[in-house]
Amino acid sequence: DDITMTITRSVLLRATTRALRPQIPRYHQSPLKLHTAVLQKSILTLPCSCRYEKISVTSSLLQQLRFHSAEPAATPIITSEKIEEFVPPSFSALNHLHPNSLRALHKMLGQNATASEIQARTLEAASRAEGIDVLGRARTGTGKTLAFLLPTIETLLKSDDWPRNKIGAVIVSPTRELALQICQQANQLLREHNRSLKPAIVMFGGVSKVNDFKALERNIPSILVATPGRLKDHLNSDAFIRNKGSIRDLFSHTKVLVLDETDRLLDMGFRDDVQNIISYLPKKEDRQTLLFSATIPLALSDIMDSTMKPGYATVDCITDSDISTNTNAQVVQTHVIAPPTRIVQSVMEIVLHAMKERDHKIVV
């Protein structure tokens, strides 16, 4: 049977593991002590409800124990200011969206898909005036990638002074995994613009630079996605692309610069790399910059001064005092306790089970 425990400030886990042992398999008893200790530490700030239930991930797995963390009991906030609630619009209701982009979104997300707050408001802000820069604040998992890809493509489609044999947009990402994901989504959108825009390519460290050169020989992309270290190495080199010229010259007419997760770029020590990359791009007055960051540290001000024009638009989808905007409040978190002798097998079966979901994303 399910075991439900309601934990409050006045009840500090008096229901001990001894009371639970008759109902829990032997190999679950030791891990349960660890989790109750964690719970005891966490409830000192907010009361919560906890629920344990036996589940079966796959038919071949033994019954496991999954932990579900309920929503914390939030304290009402009294304010005299009326906060307008965001109502997600359908993508077809958005202004400034090219019909081909809309068709691509319907193929990617379905006919009834709606835009997240950061997606809808970034597209609106970036379209207010030609070339206006945008500072976007949003948590991970809120659709930031589409939020900057959509206005980037719109800018490129409207750019009459951008030679198609030059790179139109540069997207700098802190990790190769994120860069690969961005490039994949970019090409899903660009597929519907194949008459006017070329496919995106991605560059990151850890692989031979020759692969990058061969990719550029085959195709000068409309959008280039790269990690900062690899892109800096290329821009600082004297490499020539066969029949295309200097690699640096490919960035001479770039119309859009995107810095994704800029706070992470700074945390990972890429500040000088980013500044070096910017020095090879057209002046900020001659391009559009979309800068995204969940936080605004002091070190970010130097990057903003060198990349963004005065009068940039700010799209802030994070309320620092509102826990509902935290990333962990947007993601369902569970865990499975497996016997020590079946750890590897259990992980493999759970991963295979998760891979059945559409658009799954797994990190082990």
Side-chain angles (χ1 to χ4, degrees):
D1 295 333
D2 293 345
I3 304 169
T4 304
M5 298 184 296
T6 302
I7 305 170
T8 64
R9 293 180 187 273
S10 60
V11 182
L12 296 178
L13 290 175
R14 296 289 185 181
T16 63
T17 56
R18 183 167 56 252
L20 302 175
R21 282 190 183 121
Q23 304 176 62
I24 299 177
R26 180 170 299 174
Y27 53 77
H28 287 155
Q29 292 177 12
S30 179
L32 185 61
K33 294 180 181 179
L34 173 63
H35 294 302
T36 52
V38 173
L39 289 173
Q40 188 171 6
K41 182 178 179 181
S42 65
I43 61 171
L44 297 180
T45 54
L46 282 175
C48 63
S49 297
C50 302
R51 180 179 179 84
Y52 290 91
E53 62 174 320
K54 294 178 183 178
I55 64 160
S56 178
V57 176
T58 62
S59 58
S60 61
L61 252 174
L62 296 177
Q63 282 190 320
Q64 306 297 322
L65 205 64
R66 178 179 288 180
F67 169 79
H68 297 272
S69 178
E71 290 293 328
T75 303
I77 300 176
I78 301 175
T79 176
S80 59
E81 180 183 358
K82 183 178 180 180
I83 302 176
E84 181 181 354
E85 183 179 357
F86 174 76
V87 179
S90 65
F91 281 106
S92 56
L94 296 179
N95 297 323
H96 318 292
L97 193 59
H98 195 280
N100 290 354
S101 295
L102 180 60
R103 183 163 55 249
L105 289 168
H106 286 164
K107 289 182 179 180
M108 294 166 60
L109 306 173
Q111 294 287 332
N112 299 321
T114 57
S116 68
E117 183 176 12
I118 188 65
Q119 292 167 353
R121 291 185 172 170
T122 299
L123 182 61
E124 178 186 0
S127 305
R128 288 177 187 170
E130 183 178 354
I132 188 172
D133 296 339
V134 177
L135 169 64
R137 291 190 68 204
R139 305 287 188 190
T140 300
T142 55
K144 285 193 285 85
T145 302
L146 281 179
F148 58 71
L149 282 176
L150 291 174
T152 294
I153 290 175
E154 296 302 316
T155 296
L156 295 181
L157 290 172
K158 297 173 183 176
S159 298
D160 297 329
D161 58 342
W162 162 52
R164 282 355 186 214
N165 61 345
K166 306 293 182 182
I167 294 173
V170 174
I171 301 175
V172 181
S173 168
T175 66
R176 69 173 69 185
E177 293 79 13
L178 187 54
L180 284 165
Q181 174 190 320
I182 293 170
C183 186
Q184 180 185 26
Q185 289 197 27
N187 280 326
Q188 287 178 300
L189 294 170
L190 292 171
R191 205 168 289 131
E192 299 298 322
H193 295 279
N194 56 5
R195 293 186 177 181
S196 51
L197 299 177
K198 298 177 182 178
I201 66 173
V202 60
M203 296 179 177
F204 48 79
V207 297
S208 174
K209 296 179 182 179
V210 175
N211 296 336
D212 298 338
F213 299 147
K214 289 182 178 179
L216 291 173
E217 288 176 3
R218 292 190 300 267
N219 165 51
I220 299 300
S222 295
I223 298 176
L224 173 67
V225 187
T227 52
R230 174 51 60 92
L231 183 54
K232 182 202 70 171
D233 290 345
H234 283 318
L235 289 171
N236 287 337
S237 72
D238 296 323
F240 274 76
I241 307 302
R242 186 184 306 171
N243 300 324
K244 304 291 194 309
S246 166
I247 193 169
R248 285 197 293 264
D249 187 55
L250 297 179
F251 298 85
S252 60
H253 289 75
T254 296
K255 303 301 295 182
V256 183
L257 169 65
V258 178
L259 297 179
D260 188 25
E261 302 205 7
T262 313
D263 48 355
R264 286 187 63 192
L265 287 170
L266 298 178
D267 290 340
M268 296 169 68
F270 290 126
R271 176 177 177 176
D272 292 341
D273 290 356
V274 170
Q275 294 283 22
N276 184 263
I277 291 168
I278 293 171
S279 69
Y280 288 101
L281 300 180
K283 296 179 180 179
K284 59 184 178 182
E285 292 79 12
D286 299 324
R287 67 165 194 268
Q288 182 177 44
T289 300
L290 307 177
L291 189 153
F292 284 78
S293 182
T295 60
I296 310 294
L298 291 177
L300 189 60
S301 60
D302 291 340
I303 299 293
M304 292 175 63
D305 289 342
S306 61
T307 59
M308 306 184 75
K309 299 183 289 290
Y312 61 84
T314 300
V315 178
D316 193 348
C317 299
I318 296 177
T319 304
D320 293 319
S321 60
D322 184 359
I323 61 173
S324 67
T325 63
N326 293 340
T327 299
N328 63 323
Q330 312 295 326
V331 180
V332 176
Q333 302 186 48
T334 60
H335 74 248
V336 173
I337 302 174
T341 57
R342 300 196 59 180
I343 293 294
V344 175
Q345 182 181 355
S346 299
V347 170
M348 292 299 297
E349 296 198 29
I350 293 169
V351 169
L352 291 173
H353 180 74
M355 289 174 64
K356 296 178 182 179
E357 297 182 7
R358 181 183 178 185
D359 298 329
H360 58 270
K361 299 175 183 177
I362 303 171
V363 177
V364 178

